[in-house]
Amino acid sequence: MKYIDEFRNGTIAINLSRKIDDLVRGLDTVTIMEVCGSHTMNIYRYGLKKLLPSNIRLLSGPGCPVCVTPTSYIDTAIAISQKYSQEVLITTFGDLFRAPGSTSSLEREKARGASVIVVYSTLDALEVAKNNAGKKVVFLGIGFETTTPTIAASIIEAEKRDLTNYFVLTSHKVMPPVMEALLRDKELNLDGFLCPAHVSTIIGSKPYEFIARDFHIPCVIAGFEPLDILQGIYMLLEQITRKESSVRIQYSRVAKYEGNPTALALLDRVFEPCDAEWRGLGIIPGSGLKLRNQYERFDAHTIFRISDFGFQINSAICNPQSAINGCICGDILRGVKLPADCKLFGKVCNPEHPVGACMVSSEGTCAAWYKYGEN
Ligand code: SF4
């Protein structure tokens, strides 16, 4: 297949791996973190760690949107479906459907009779709202800068269509603040970031410049194919060995310095920054997006008066061990533990019966280890 195969060429991969080996021979351990679930998956799928010398340590960070969504968010969605069972339809993407909250998941609640519909796009959710005029339709809006513009577009479209029964339960995240939090984490000692590719196609490379300037940590925006990732690692190592730090773009066929101005304008029109909870990482200032006041009527938090629910929906916020017994997803998302450190991995926790979010999502680190091995 033209174009894809070019980025999976084994001979070029081995040559790149030799160049990397030459570059870092004799160096102490270099720790690079990828903060993108698709990078994580492809690193495992293509066995890329085996192509790297032993003094390069690749860590997977909080790059999977379902994995970083706190249990309290799932608890809130379930609580809405229970408290307003006669009037609410919950719509969600499939990956969140199975994600565990404190005591249940939307999948389990649906089996018990809750009105939960899996949709493939926000436009599907709008259709559900149109076809169920007597119900309040709540879309579960999670994800990074990549998906949030589509949710912004759905709100503008709902306004255009005069839909008064469409609401979004927002838990959107933005990447640069969590990368800063990781750099401030004393348990981590990162030497470079492989920046998230999908996110970077939207935000561009500029928002990472503070990382190179203030923390002297090099960043490379790399694509998803094996050669993209290897070249991205090589571009990071070039900077690390020269003691340089800048933001470079390997994925130049898609990601641009200025990002995607149309998507950014859409984001800015509908959303504004807020603090956000991340599973395992707690509350990170400025790392979330909430609806602007003028779109408040679409905000499920306001409409359902979630702050009045009277139960501890935020109980898991500051507990890095997560609220789920024995699950160490939080530490895995911070890059301080590996799936092999979890005593539940592969025993009671597997993709068929996931205990934590990192095993539910196809982009989760535990799911990648389970599917492709330690690598
Ligand atoms: Fe959580 Fe399962 Fe991963 Fe353990 S293996 S950290 S229980 S998702």
Side-chain angles (χ1 to χ4, degrees):
M1 190 195 308
K2 202 167 183 252
Y3 301 124
I4 290 293
D5 283 352
E6 289 169 359
F7 294 97
R8 297 177 182 173
N9 184 302
T11 308
I12 299 175
I14 286 170
N15 285 340
L16 261 172
S17 130
R18 287 192 184 125
K19 282 180 76 175
I20 289 171
D21 204 19
D22 288 344
L23 205 54
V24 298
R25 195 169 301 132
L27 287 188
D28 289 339
T29 300
V30 177
T31 304
I32 292 170
M33 179 178 268
E34 89 272 358
V35 275
C36 171
S38 301
H39 279 153
T40 301
M41 238 351 167
N42 280 350
I43 285 168
Y44 285 92
R45 178 182 292 140
Y46 294 106
L48 298 186
K49 287 188 180 180
K50 289 198 181 103
L51 288 176
L52 298 174
S54 57
N55 57 345
I56 296 186
R57 194 163 68 115
L58 288 189
L59 286 181
S60 302
C64 152
V66 171
C67 305
V68 300
T69 300
T71 49
S72 57
Y73 178 83
I74 314 280
D75 292 347
T76 305
I78 290 170
I80 292 174
S81 76
Q82 291 171 340
K83 196 169 160 118
Y84 302 95
S85 58
Q86 299 305 309
E87 54 184 299
V88 161
L89 288 174
I90 302 281
T91 54
T92 177
F93 289 144
D95 47 2
L96 196 65
F97 186 54
R98 300 181 68 211
S102 300
T103 56
S104 186
S105 66
L106 290 159
E107 183 182 41
R108 263 185 260 160
E109 292 305 308
K110 184 176 170 78
R112 289 174 187 147
S115 300
V116 183
I117 300 172
V118 173
V119 293
Y120 295 97
S121 72
T122 48
L123 287 180
D124 287 349
L126 289 181
E127 278 305 295
V128 173
K130 188 180 126 197
N131 296 332
N132 292 275
K135 300 270 188 185
K136 293 186 172 83
V137 173
V138 178
F139 179 74
L140 303 186
I142 67 157
F144 302 125
E145 294 94 326
T146 328
T147 46
T148 312
T150 67
I151 284 123
S154 79
I155 287 169
I156 290 168
E157 185 62 22
E159 190 174 49
K160 209 157 81 184
R161 294 186 195 177
D162 280 332
L163 281 176
T164 55
N165 64 332
Y166 177 70
F167 308 96
V168 180
L169 185 67
T170 56
S171 183
H172 301 287
K173 310 274 194 293
V174 292
M175 266 293 168
V178 75
M179 293 166 77
E180 178 174 353
L182 292 166
L183 290 172
R184 294 189 188 283
D185 189 328
K186 292 195 171 31
E187 278 189 78
L188 282 173
N189 197 5
L190 301 179
D191 297 300
F193 270 123
L194 215 49
C195 296
H198 285 135
V199 165
S200 304
T201 62
I202 303 296
I203 67 174
S205 61
K206 193 170 188 295
Y208 307 113
E209 284 178 344
F210 77 95
I211 295 175
R213 185 187 61 238
D214 302 341
F215 293 89
H216 310 292
I217 295 292
C219 297
V220 171
I221 296 165
F224 300 109
E225 293 301 323
L227 295 187
D228 287 323
I229 296 171
L230 286 173
Q231 192 181 22
I233 291 169
Y234 181 79
M235 290 166 73
L236 275 174
L237 293 169
E238 273 185 323
Q239 297 189 63
I240 292 165
T241 52
R242 291 179 195 151
K243 301 200 184 319
E244 293 172 359
S245 56
S246 62
V247 184
R248 296 177 65 190
I249 303 177
Q250 182 279 336
Y251 197 32
S252 55
R253 61 189 185 277
V254 183
K256 309 290 173 211
Y257 174 78
E258 69 278 8
N260 180 328
T262 307
L264 287 173
L266 205 51
L267 269 186
D268 188 53
R269 176 171 163 191
V270 177
F271 290 97
E272 63 184 1
C274 66
D275 300 344
E277 303 169 32
W278 294 63
R279 191 182 292 240
L281 292 150
I283 295 176
I284 300 176
S287 68
L289 292 170
K290 65 174 183 176
L291 290 171
R292 290 190 181 278
N293 281 347
Q294 74 185 95
Y295 295 104
E296 198 178 26
R297 72 181 178 85
F298 295 100
D299 192 342
H301 292 273
T302 311
I303 299 301
F304 296 103
R305 304 169 69 93
I306 285 163
S307 55
D308 295 346
F309 271 24
F311 68 98
Q312 286 290 312
I313 62 170
N314 290 339
S315 57
I317 291 176
C318 295
N319 179 2
Q321 298 302 319
S322 113
I324 300 164
N325 242 350
C327 174
I328 58 165
C329 265
D331 286 338
I332 290 172
L333 291 165
R334 283 169 60 221
V336 296
K337 287 207 172 142
L338 299 171
D341 298 321
C342 177
K343 58 183 187 303
L344 307 182
F345 179 81
K347 297 181 184 111
V348 288
C349 183
N350 58 53
E352 286 299 305
H353 301 285
V355 174
C358 300
M359 189 64 92
V360 173
S361 169
S362 60
E363 295 193 334
T365 308
C366 295
W369 270 59
Y370 189 88
K371 194 166 180 189
Y372 299 111
E374 182 178 346
N375 198 295

